[in-house]
Amino acid sequence: MPTLKDVVKPFVPRELWDKIPRSFDIIGSRSGAVAIIEIPPELEDYKVLIGEAIIKLNRNVRAVLRRVGAREGEFRLYKYEVLVPGPTEVIHKEDNYLIRVDPTKAYFSPRDQGDREDIARQVMPGEVVLYPFAGVGPYAIAILKRQPLTRLVIAIELNEYAYNYMLSNIKLNKLEGRILPLHGDAARLMDLFHNVDRVLLTLPLGAHRFLRQALTCVRKGGIVHFYHLGVEEDPFYEAEGIVKNYCGELGLDCIIINRRIVRDYAPHVYKVRLDIRVA
Ligand SMILES: C[S@@+](CC[C@H](N)C(=O)[O-])C[C@H]1O[C@@H](n2cnc3c(N)ncnc32)[C@H](O)[C@@H]1O
């Protein structure tokens, strides 16, 4: 099977061959997919050719988008340049569940699949899980598919598009009544819940602003999954400092039971996760 580089090379000057991207994200399934790629400025003149090559190599891909800049704003969305136009709403297949999403309107990353699996494996029968930055709902669905005896996942989301996709994903995966979807600001809605077994703070750029609330929502012995960004030299240093401060302020005995580098976030920066048991 030829790679993107193999297909594009004959049309690009030799001195630019090193710049041809080696990988791109595909969101979707056989019923249709969207490809998302980063292309360096040196390949500006070849961007459409690259987009068309992706379509040639992947028969399910109907649209190709170029990522421009970093994720932005409260809803954590990229800006995209359309390289090959086509439908961008897709149904993504991950493990044994489906996620309907339009990545131009709501956050979703197939690169978080391993982390979803890792979280879902930890959930015990009967748990109530609070999930304040739920996006289109993938962690809630992963948890309920892996641990069908989960009592409830309370899923809060601010972006109306993402919230509506979450409603659609609950139906698509036949999880009606197992997820309580709420549309609104987590800062306000989290306070309605106490004594939950687990809180999932999947907002690496900003979760620290909600950590105090999370620590007060969780029961004694419960778990908070705290996401943050960490630099290569000492990925957990800043996150651990934040946890120590809040737990100290609240007079809570917190134990970090697990540290995980989730994935790359930017050059020399990782998305990290601390699993905190509140004793
Ligand atoms: C990094 S994304 C993660 C989404 C989802 N958990 C996933 O993994 O696909 C964070 C989500 O939090 C939402 N969000 C940001 N601030 C929020 C707030 N104050 N209240 C509720 N949701 C918020 C964003 O719209 C975005 O969908």
Side-chain angles (χ1 to χ4, degrees):
M1 176 82 176
T3 63
L4 179 63
K5 203 163 183 167
D6 297 333
V7 177
V8 170
K9 254 164 125 181
F11 306 97
V12 171
R14 182 177 281 272
E15 62 274 20
L16 293 178
W17 283 3
D18 276 356
K19 302 278 175 195
I20 300 170
R22 285 170 201 280
S23 63
F24 47 88
D25 285 340
I26 293 188
I27 305 181
S29 53
R30 268 199 230 149
S31 62
V34 53
I36 298 175
I37 189 163
E38 267 171 53
I39 299 180
E42 295 88 334
L43 291 174
E44 184 64 28
D45 293 346
Y46 306 96
K47 60 187 182 187
V48 174
L49 185 136
I50 292 172
E52 282 164 358
I54 291 176
I55 298 254
K56 245 185 237 152
L57 287 168
N58 302 271
R59 282 205 268 138
N60 310 326
V61 172
R62 311 257 193 275
V64 182
L65 307 177
R66 177 190 192 178
R67 211 176 263 155
V68 184
R71 286 193 184 275
E72 283 181 359
E74 244 176 345
F75 299 163
R76 311 308 302 141
L77 299 178
Y78 285 110
K79 285 207 177 86
Y80 295 104
E81 179 184 358
V82 177
L83 299 182
V84 180
T88 50
E89 183 183 285
V90 294
I91 295 183
H92 184 74
K93 183 156 174 19
E94 191 172 274
D95 285 342
N96 58 344
Y97 51 87
L98 301 170
I99 302 291
R100 191 194 302 274
V101 65
D102 180 338
T104 67
K105 296 197 164 76
Y107 177 100
F108 178 75
S109 176
R111 296 186 206 180
D112 292 329
Q113 176 175 1
D115 188 56
R116 281 191 263 283
E117 213 181 297
D118 191 60
I119 293 284
R121 237 185 284 122
Q122 297 184 37
V123 176
M124 305 299 286
E127 280 196 17
V128 174
V129 180
L130 180 59
Y131 178 28
F133 310 105
V136 302
Y139 281 83
I141 294 164
I143 288 171
L144 283 155
K145 288 291 178 184
R146 183 144 200 135
Q147 179 47 271
L149 297 178
T150 306
R151 202 158 109 215
L152 184 68
V153 181
I154 302 153
I156 304 170
E157 173 55 44
L158 189 60
N159 172 359
E160 195 173 354
Y161 284 111
Y163 171 76
N164 285 327
Y165 277 120
M166 171 158 57
L167 297 185
S168 165
N169 286 327
I170 292 172
K171 277 197 194 134
L172 197 59
N173 292 283
K174 303 191 171 42
L175 291 172
E176 292 98 330
R178 316 299 314 285
I179 297 176
L180 173 63
L182 297 172
H183 178 218
D185 187 349
R188 193 172 51 80
L189 293 170
M190 281 172 79
D191 288 340
L192 302 176
F193 302 96
H194 299 282
N195 280 319
V196 302
D197 298 288
R198 191 176 294 274
V199 185
L200 255 175
L201 293 177
T202 58
L203 184 71
L205 203 73
H208 61 96
R209 291 184 282 112
F210 299 82
L211 184 57
R212 181 200 303 271
Q213 276 174 287
L215 291 167
T216 52
C217 291
V218 78
R219 70 165 167 83
K220 263 188 186 273
I223 306 283
V224 175
H225 300 283
F226 173 55
Y227 292 74
H228 196 61
L229 299 179
V231 290
E232 203 168 50
E233 300 82 69
D234 196 350
F236 303 109
Y237 179 77
E238 195 175 288
E240 286 185 22
I242 292 169
V243 171
K244 214 172 148 191
N245 276 347
Y246 279 118
C247 290
E249 248 179 55
L250 293 167
L252 293 171
D253 214 355
C254 299
I255 307 162
I256 297 172
I257 55 169
N258 188 24
R259 295 163 176 79
R260 184 177 158 108
I261 291 184
V262 177
R263 62 177 169 89
D264 289 348
Y265 185 86
H268 313 293
V269 179
Y270 297 120
K271 169 170 162 175
V272 299
R273 193 189 87 212
L274 297 181
D275 299 343
I276 310 159
R277 170 164 290 133
V278 181

